[in-house]
Structures are given as structure tokens and as C-alpha cells.
Amino acid sequence: MAKKVKLSNESSQKADEILAFHGYSSLEELIGNLIDSEYEKIKSDDDKDEQAEKLSGLGYIS
Amino acid sequence: MKRRDFIKSTGTIVAASPFMNFGAGIKNNKKMLVLGFDGMDPMIAYDMIQRGELPNLKRLAQSGVFSMMRTTIPPQSPVAWGSFITGADPGKYGLFDFVHRDPETYFPITSGAETIPASLNIKIGKYKIPLKPGKIVPKREGKAFWDYLEEKDVEATIFKIPSNYPPSKSKQRTIAGMGTPDIHGTYGISTLYTSDEEEAMKDITPNNLFYAYLNEENVLEDGEILGPVNDLVENGEKTKVSFKVFVDKENKTARIDVDGKEILIAEKEYSDWVEIDFPLIKGVSSITGMVKFYMMDIEKSFRLYISPIHISPKTPAVEISTPPEYAEELAKKVGLFHTIGLPADTKALSQETFGVEEFLTQSNSVFDESKKLFGYEYEKFLNKKNGFLFFYFGSLDQGQHMLWALTDKDHPYYHPEEAKRFGYMKEELYRMHDRILGDVLNTMPKDMGLIVLSDHGFGTFRRKVNLNTFLFNEGYLKFGVNEIDTEISLFDDYSEYDWGNTKAYAVGLNGLYLNMKGRESQGIVTKGERRKLLEELQGKIQQIRDPENGRQVISEAFITEDHFSPDFLIRSPDIILGFNRGYRSSDSSALGGATREMVTNNMNWWAGDHCINPRHVPASFFSNFPINKKIPSIKDMAPTILNYFGINETPTMNGDSLI
């Protein structure tokens, strides 16, 4: 279900500038893109943690 | 021959001349056994032979050859055994370290195998069913010598050779060794339940640690064994299996109820293997692993150790043998056995979950199991008219890593009390391996070829070196800060790395990479600058001195393009660091991090090592036939084995036959 988001005036003005600068067609598109990119970061951090866990199990690395 | 003469004489003891003709007729025989004693150091073996403590190795040397053997650059097991397998230098099979790096992200990655995740999932309810299953791809390239044997119809059994996980496709009987993961896909994650509140607060990452709450009736009600992540459900969570422990303090015993089984166990005792099914889709799909329980303490506090979850050889979750049913055959005939590549739980001793005694109990059980498995394979082999058997023993390597400080009074982690009790164990490990050889010498046919070898020797590891700190101090590696507070880690502080201005970085136990334009994602070093920079770094690295005592830290820096075939050089570090005796890469450096101090004391039970200059840790070679080189190389082994069976065309190899 879609959610409504309340933005402060300052954030709203900044969002308008980003829309104009990057050529997003709508605020929804900008927010969707930001969520996607933040989500990717979390996922890649998970992968990194998994890799760190994997390597630190090697006796050579404590 | 005196010790010094042994070294000066190029390290070879050869048999008296009557044996020298033995080689002439050996090619007609068609049976050969190779025993791989990982980490057997030729100087320790020599000293013990001189003292009469390794009578069987002495017998073997007297019937043929005992020599030092050149190992690989770097002298790490996956690299050296890769050379043994393929008869070539690392450039031809693409393994250069336990840890490689991803040139796209700069992150360290395991070198031996790559996991390709499942894809094309369809959703059914809460489940995510992959139409294209994931797979694990071996990264060791080159043609294994047993493939040549197969082409000539020579049957071979290759038991737990490192650098063969997942096992390469073959009709020969092979079972994977070092590199084989636990059921989580890691090198082995164990679990400790403790009622000691202080211990329960410790960080033993990546292992699991839980506080054990025992109720008034001395029952641990809420035990859990965490299984693999269930990738079949959305946002997959770890699978788990519950267990309860009923403690009888009076009789110092406990009953563990797990997965429909009841396990009775006394204090200080290990259970047998317990197979456990982790459910993926209830009633439809599960994944089977196996663990051992170790009731470490009941009286003082409750301490229950649960081993890493091994892949069960009876129903392997991933392929660990060729043919796939070979693992099952072994389990049926000999019983369940450790399948993790490095089965001695060195981490438990490093993290002080185990004391030395507990470590020895666990690691000796691994050795006893290896002996049992060898007994089964050797008997089968004796009953054959011809064929080849390779059998690997890893206990000498793992033991020397962990017990070295007990015999090294100058080691910063020397423990005098433990040294008094357990100092004999390092040499006892040599004697234990010698006794295995004794059984072979007493039963083998006279015309059977026999080789006993190691992949590298051993030495002390007193001081840890961070190469990235050196590179940062010298301006080759740039961060967003001008000085390092305590540590900058690739995993935690990625944004601090200024790749756009970095020329070189270290990842792995011996690897140093240039930040090459067109190879690394943010590389800046051009092909034209490459050679000059390599030589500049080589010179500077060899000049690094230990600030505490002025000793040279790296006795040799190897520019890899001068030493390796070009085939898979693209994966290789540009320089391999040959640490001086007593020094090795720090953990932080191996994982791409940098610390404020460049050289620090090694305060860990992991106090012996071999990831140093290969000239300081040569391997050992024994055979019951003479050889044609004063100092053989590990890459000569495969051509020698093949020549023994009359196979001389080995186009993928660049080692030499020794017969």
C-alpha cells in the first residue's frame, strides 16, 4: 500500500532542486530511486559482512 | 651428516649407491602411494631423524632419498598443493594466496572457489523457488595429474588433497579437503553455551556464543543450533534446530535431546557425530548437517561446545566427492567423518574457548579419524594389482600453528606452564606421522613406489606486519585522513579509502597489488609506469626494518611477472611478500586494513606459520627411489608420478620428472 510522506519546507525545496537538476519526472520517482540506492547499500553491506565472517573463520586470520 | 652439512649439501640425503639403480626398473611397476604430511619441516625432521626419533622416515630415506624441496611462492598450502596437483607454477593454475581480491571492489575474497547464487526465482506463497540453482565453481585451473592417469586407465584415489573443492570433474575417486566449507559456507562456525556470565559477554566472532540459563531442575530448555540461511523464503532467515540439555550434576553427565535423538554424554567427553536436518520447506525439503557436542564442564559451570556444522558425507548438501557416492561409501564403511577442510578447531584455542588440552583432544580425534580412513583406503589399495593412492594428513600443519609458542621461549606468547605440560606435543606430532609410515613400510609390496612429502616447512611467528600501514606512511596508499587513529578497515571504513590517489595496496597473507588502470575499478597506475613502480616498491619493501629491533622484516619481495607463467597472472598480486623469519602479515593487512603501528607482537596461540619467504620454509621430500635432481621442486611431483606410470607427455605442466 502506498504511503504518504510529509516533507518540511526546507526538504521540499531541496527536493525541487534535485528534481530540476537530475531531470526526475516526479517526487515519487526521486524517492523511489533514493530508496533503491539505500537498499542496495544495505544489501551490499550484508554481502561484505558475510565475506568478512567467512574470511575471519580462516585460522590464519583471527 | 651434520645439520649444517645437510643444509650446505643442498639438503639431500641419498641412499647408498646400490639403491641408485632402483629407479631404472621402477617404471615397470604400476603402484604408487603418496603420503602428504602438510607442514612437515625438513629441518625438524632431520634433527629428529638424527636423534633416532623418526625411525621410519629414516628407513625410507635410507632406501631412497630425503631432501628439502622447493615450495611455491608464496608457501601457502592452497598454492603449494595446487602446484603438486597440476605440475606447474601458480601462474598456470591461478591460485596465489588463501585470499585474493576483487579488482572491482578491492575487497578480499576466498581464492579457491566462487559461489554463483541461484537465480530466476519463482514465488509460491512465502517461498522463493529457484529455477536456476546456485553452484560452486572451483577456481583452481590447470589439468590435475589424476586426469592424465585416467586417460591411461590408471585408477587413482585422491584423498582430501587441498585445492580441490569443489572436486574437479573426474571418474577417479576423489574427496575434497582443505577449502571445503561448513554448512554455512564458511571455514567453520562453532557454538558455545556457557553459564559463566563473564565468558558469555566475550566477542568470539564469527563463532556463536550464548548464555546458558539452566532452570531449577538443571535443564537448558532453549538451546538452538543455527543452520544455513533459508534462501527459499523471502528475506531468508537462518534455519534453526532446538535442543534441550538435562544435566545430572551428581554423576557429571548430561542428556541432549536434539532433532528426535537422545545423546548421553559425560563431562569432558565428545559425542559421536549427530546428524541434524535443518528444515527449508516444512515436510518437503531440508538440509542435513552433522555436529559433535563436547560437554566441557558441568561441575564449575555449564560449558557446552558444539562443533561447526559439517556437510554430512552420507547426504552431502553440496558435492564433495567424485563420484558423488564415494563420500557415502566412506561414511558407510568407516563411519561419519569431518568434512570441513581445516577440521582442527584452531579458532577455539585462539579465542580461548578451548585450553591447550581441549585443543589437543579435538585435534587428536581428527588425526585418529584420518588414520582410520587411511587404514580403509590403504587396505583396498594393497589388494589392487596397480593404481595410485594419495592420502593427506593435515594435523602436523594445524598442530604446529597452534603449539609453536610452547617450544619458543622468545615468542611473546610463550606460556611457561603450558610449555611444561604440552611442550613435547609438537615433536610428538612428527612421531605420530612417522608411525603411520611405519605401518606402510611393514606391509607394502617391495616394488611399490612410495613418496612422503610436505607442501612447506614451518617457523615461528612472533611479529605481525601491516603492509598497508607501510604503504600509507610512504604515500602509496591514500586515505581521507592524514593519520591512522587505531585502525582503518576495508569492511568498516570503506569511504576512507581514496582509491583515486592510491598506487598500491595489500590484500591477502602475502599479496601486494598495484592499483592498475583498466584492471582495478578506480586504478590510476598506467602500464608505462608499472615496471618502474614495481622495482621501486620492491627496493623499499626489502628495506623495511622492525622499529623495535632493527631487523629486516621482508627478506625478499617477488615481482610475480618475473616468476610465474602468464596464463592466469591477471589474478595474481603484483608483488608477493617474502617475510623474514619470525614475521608475517597481520590480520588487518591481510584483509586490506591499516593500523597505526606497522609491526606489533603476535599475542595469539596461532604462533607458528609458513606464509613467509619460501626460502626460509622449504618442503620435505622422501622417496623409496632415487631422483635426478639435487633439490626437487613441488611442481616436479606430478610429472614424476606420471612418468612412474609411463606417461611422459604432459603439455600442461612445467615441472620436471625426477626419474
Side-chain angles (χ1 to χ4, degrees), chain A residues 39 48-49 51-62, chain B residues 98 107-110 185 187 206 347 401 491 584 587 606 610:
Chain A
Y39 184 74
K48 284 176 201 164
D49 289 347
Q51 186 62 20
E53 196 172 79
K54 208 171 179 179
L55 290 166
S56 66
L58 181 66
Y60 291 80
I61 297 165
S62 57
Chain B
F98 273 104
F107 271 87
I109 51 173
T110 46
Y187 289 107
K347 207 78 185 169
H401 278 300
F491 291 93
R584 204 210 73 181
D587 308 328
W606 188 281
H610 48 81

Side-chain angles (χ1 to χ4, degrees), chain B residues 335-352:
Chain B
L336 294 168
F337 56 91
H338 294 81
T339 53
I340 285 178
L342 293 161
D345 199 341
T346 56
K347 207 78 185 169
L349 178 55
S350 288
Q351 295 176 332
E352 299 189 334

Side-chain angles (χ1 to χ4, degrees), chain B residues 575-649:
Chain B
I575 290 179
I576 286 179
L577 308 161
F579 291 95
N580 204 354
R581 289 185 177 90
Y583 294 88
R584 204 210 73 181
S585 168
S586 71
D587 308 328
S588 165
S589 187
L591 295 178
T595 45
R596 187 179 177 84
E597 303 295 327
M598 186 175 65
V599 190
T600 51
N601 276 340
N602 173 25
M603 303 301 287
N604 195 301
W605 279 114
W606 188 281
D609 213 286
H610 48 81
C611 303
I612 62 174
N613 186 341
R615 297 185 213 282
H616 304 325
V617 281
S620 302
F621 175 86
F622 294 79
S623 67
N624 67 347
F625 52 86
I627 58 174
N628 60 21
K629 259 190 189 180
K630 278 190 175 172
I631 303 267
S633 163
I634 197 160
K635 70 179 179 179
D636 299 333
M637 295 300 104
T640 303
I641 294 163
L642 294 176
N643 190 1
Y644 178 86
F645 287 97
I647 302 165
N648 298 308
E649 290 295 314

